[in-house]
Amino acid sequence: MDWTGGYVADIGYISGFYRELGPTYLSFAARLQGEPAPDPARPFTYAELGCGQGVGTAILAAANPHARFVGIDLLPAHIANARDLAEAAGLANVAFHEAGFDEAAAWPDGALPAFDYVTLHGIYAWISEANRQAVVRFLARWLKPGGLVYVSYNAMPGWAGLQPLQRLLREHAARHPDRSDRQIEAGLGFVQRLREAGLAYFDRHPAATSKLDGMGEPASEAAYLAHEYLNTAAQPLYASDVADELAAAKLAYVGSADLIENYDALSLPEPARQALAESADPAFRELIRDYAVNRQFRRDIFVKGSRPGTGAQQDAALLDTALVPLRARSAMTANFTTHLGEMAGRTQVYRPLMDRLARGRATLGELTEATGVEPAACIQACAVLTATGQVHPAQPTADPAPAHRLGAELARRILQDELHGYLPAPAAGNGIAASDIEIVALDALREAGPETADRLARAVWSRFRAVGRRMVRDGETLTSERANLRELRRRARAILRERVPVWRKLGLL
Ligand SMILES: C[S@@+](CC[C@H](N)C(=O)[O-])C[C@H]1O[C@@H](n2cnc3c(N)ncnc32)[C@H](O)[C@@H]1O
């Protein structure tokens, strides 16, 4: 395993998608924090480091055909799968490279373009210090001035109680050589027995017991857990250490991609806000925020060269940003949950904004004008509506063909039990969440044009039946064709009523 730097290499990682990596999302997040950001409506360059199976990079490439994407990962099986997917969908604007971060950081001039965005999800706290330094060299070398970086990692202090659990799984695995997923399964069995035997660690560390409760459910979990817990180099990081390390690539912290976390009034208890007032040091304040909520995971955005403008410039950049709805009006809500518990947005602010946004794309400037909501309240409410997945930063509709081709390929793979709950949405420049049935239904709608619920249900059923897929209702698998069709008709009615109008606004149909 020498070539991996301690990274688990004998089984592939799960295929995931995380909207925070989307360029439109990242630029909006940076603007909300007062930083000028690359304009994702213009041609741009984007690299995902540790792209895994490449599904996320491929979705972003399909949703942004005017931009150029690069995915880099150490594991050849990941890169082979990623290339297969891109080829199957005919994506011409993405290249996948099998390389370690150290190699890519040292590639000769011209091997890569300079990037507007570099993202790393689930990488930085899972690799060795030497590899973290290689990532920093990559950023110093290949990120443009003014470029944005997204980096997520397991964080302290929230991970403090979990480290001994990780250690125990690793120690058990070291004494039971086997394939990583089997080591995880055996290790979890062992740990559960210790817990049932009443070992004090489990009593005193509720974070560990609640993690254990959530482990080992679906079959794909073992691959996730192996990469999460068996990497010998994995360790949680303090936000201030990450900021220090990335400062070597001239990066400055911008804010969290969890947009609500950037509003102390919405996310921190009053005593924590008072503690924050005691320091003007941004890195120290960020650390206090992590202690205030015992944060386990961070999604940080950095910029190469911070240059906050005047308040008026910041507002102008935001008021120029457009949003599109991700939900029908009936499914939108002003309620949201933060570390403070359930919150309710002010009706006189949220209601008119949701009414207008549900009708279709609008810039924040148009929203304030149409609703009379003043800019500061409009901006904050739009951040909350974005964070809660109800609207999304928009971009001018580009060529939707690559997104449609990838959507068709994902629908085909879903029928082969490769689960991906996302679709590329050209008008959002990002992936959007969709269930298996929705993804297959969208594919059927694209092929057959406008449909009644009955015809849509039959089209989905013919695809499901061909691969032996059955509908499940109230936990029960439906066996007869009649019952499957009845359930599919119910779903199809909801899709035609709630999803299709939104999909049209997103350029999916
Ligand atoms: C936990 S997975 C995350 C994958 C993907 N970003 C996601 O979130 O679904 C970490 C990925 O980093 C890759 N990786 C680990 N060490 C690496 C290195 N030194 N150079 C390049 N890639 C590496 C692994 O192959 C793996 O795909």
Side-chain angles (χ1 to χ4, degrees):
M1 275 218 198
D2 275 335
W3 57 279
T4 69
Y7 195 85
V8 169
D10 60 338
I11 54 168
Y13 192 59
I14 52 170
S15 289
F17 182 82
Y18 311 91
R19 61 167 184 171
E20 292 81 6
L21 278 68
T24 48
Y25 187 97
L26 286 174
S27 279
F28 182 48
R31 286 181 195 145
L32 285 168
Q33 292 300 97
E35 281 292 341
D39 179 358
R42 301 165 68 92
F44 63 84
T45 45
Y46 181 112
E48 182 174 358
L49 299 185
C51 61
Q53 308 278 5
V55 179
T57 323
I59 286 178
L60 294 179
N64 295 278
H66 59 299
R68 190 171 158 198
F69 286 79
V70 169
I72 296 175
D73 200 280
L74 184 66
L75 298 194
H78 286 172
I79 293 301
N81 283 338
R83 286 182 181 159
D84 283 352
L85 178 64
E87 194 183 317
L91 302 180
N93 63 333
V94 60
F96 289 103
H97 301 286
E98 177 215 326
F101 304 134
D102 50 351
E103 289 168 75
W107 277 338
D109 287 349
L112 293 173
F115 293 107
D116 294 291
Y117 303 88
V118 177
T119 59
L120 315 78
H121 183 78
I123 310 292
Y124 206 66
W126 288 262
I127 54 177
S128 64
E129 191 183 347
N131 274 319
R132 291 206 307 277
Q133 286 169 3
V135 167
V136 174
R137 286 197 303 280
F138 184 97
L139 296 171
R141 173 91 193 276
W142 297 111
L143 182 70
K144 280 186 194 170
L148 295 181
V149 173
Y150 165 90
V151 52
S152 64
Y153 51 97
N154 282 336
M156 290 292 262
W159 244 78
L162 294 173
Q163 272 186 304
L165 173 62
Q166 184 183 45
R167 180 61 175 253
L168 194 55
L169 286 166
R170 259 192 242 155
E171 296 274 351
H172 185 271
R175 285 160 185 80
H176 297 82
D178 204 339
R179 209 176 61 198
S180 307
D181 52 342
R182 289 200 282 260
Q183 284 179 306
I184 270 289
E185 275 157 24
L188 279 179
F190 173 72
V191 171
Q192 288 288 11
R193 288 196 295 282
L194 293 191
R195 177 187 173 184
E196 281 154 24
L199 272 66
Y201 163 68
F202 297 98
D203 278 348
R204 310 230 176 109
H205 292 87
T209 43
S210 65
K211 254 300 186 256
L212 271 175
D213 286 339
M215 282 181 187
E217 284 301 315
S220 66
E221 277 278 275
Y224 161 75
L225 293 171
H227 283 248
E228 177 86 1
Y229 287 94
L230 296 187
N231 285 318
T232 53
Q235 56 177 322
L237 301 167
Y238 287 93
S240 49
D241 288 343
V242 173
D244 279 350
E245 288 179 8
L246 297 187
K250 304 184 188 167
L251 300 188
Y253 180 68
V254 172
S256 173
D258 289 319
L259 304 180
I260 296 176
E261 309 281 346
N262 295 321
Y263 294 95
D264 291 335
L266 297 183
S267 56
L268 289 188
E270 177 57 30
R273 277 184 267 155
Q274 278 170 18
L276 273 187
E278 288 180 27
S279 175
D281 180 304
F284 191 52
R285 287 164 60 87
E286 204 48 34
L287 207 55
I288 294 171
R289 291 188 178 97
D290 286 347
Y291 278 76
V293 299
N294 195 36
R295 202 184 311 281
Q296 268 184 23
F297 192 75
R298 289 185 57 95
R299 295 182 178 85
D300 289 358
I301 302 171
F302 287 82
V303 66
K304 191 181 243 178
S306 172
R307 49 188 174 134
T310 64
Q313 286 166 334
Q314 294 173 357
D315 281 356
L318 278 168
L319 294 175
D320 244 12
T321 303
L323 300 175
V324 273
L326 297 184
R327 290 189 190 168
R329 176 66 183 93
S330 56
M332 286 186 178
T333 170
N335 300 332
F336 55 100
T337 309
T338 78
H339 294 289
L340 295 178
E342 295 282 319
M343 316 272 284
R346 279 190 295 147
T347 311
Q348 61 273 39
V349 171
Y350 280 71
R351 186 182 287 161
L353 291 177
M354 292 189 294
D355 286 346
R356 172 61 191 85
L357 279 165
R359 292 212 303 276
R361 179 193 161 96
T363 65
L364 271 65
E366 287 163 351
L367 285 172
T368 57
E369 238 176 72
T371 61
V373 173
E374 50 105 13
C378 174
I379 290 168
Q380 178 171 318
C382 286
V384 170
L385 292 170
T386 302
T388 48
Q390 310 193 67
V391 301
H392 194 281
Q395 63 181 5
T397 315
D399 173 14
H404 292 189
R405 288 197 302 271
L406 182 60
E409 180 59 23
L410 293 176
R412 202 180 64 76
R413 288 173 180 234
I414 275 168
L415 294 174
Q416 297 171 346
D417 286 336
E418 274 189 52
L419 300 179
H420 309 300
Y422 284 85
L423 280 169
N430 205 346
I432 59 149
S435 68
D436 280 13
I437 295 172
E438 287 174 347
I439 292 173
V440 175
L442 176 65
D443 189 49
L445 282 170
R446 277 200 199 119
E447 268 183 21
E451 289 278 352
T452 61
D454 185 54
R455 283 169 58 190
L456 181 56
R458 284 179 192 283
V460 174
W461 173 240
S462 76
R463 287 162 162 82
F464 275 21
R465 193 180 43 196
V467 295
R469 177 82 69 103
R470 296 288 177 268
M471 296 298 294
V472 176
R473 178 145 202 203
D474 302 330
E476 195 189 320
T477 304
L478 305 177
T479 48
S480 74
E481 170 155 332
R482 224 178 111 105
N484 274 278
L485 272 173
R486 192 183 318 123
E487 177 61 10
L488 276 171
R489 251 180 248 117
R490 194 176 71 80
R491 304 284 195 102
R493 275 193 293 276
I495 287 173
L496 290 172
R497 194 178 55 237
E498 304 266 315
R499 303 305 298 153
V500 166
V502 174
W503 287 342
R504 287 195 200 289
K505 294 184 182 88
L506 288 168
L508 283 160
L509 263 177

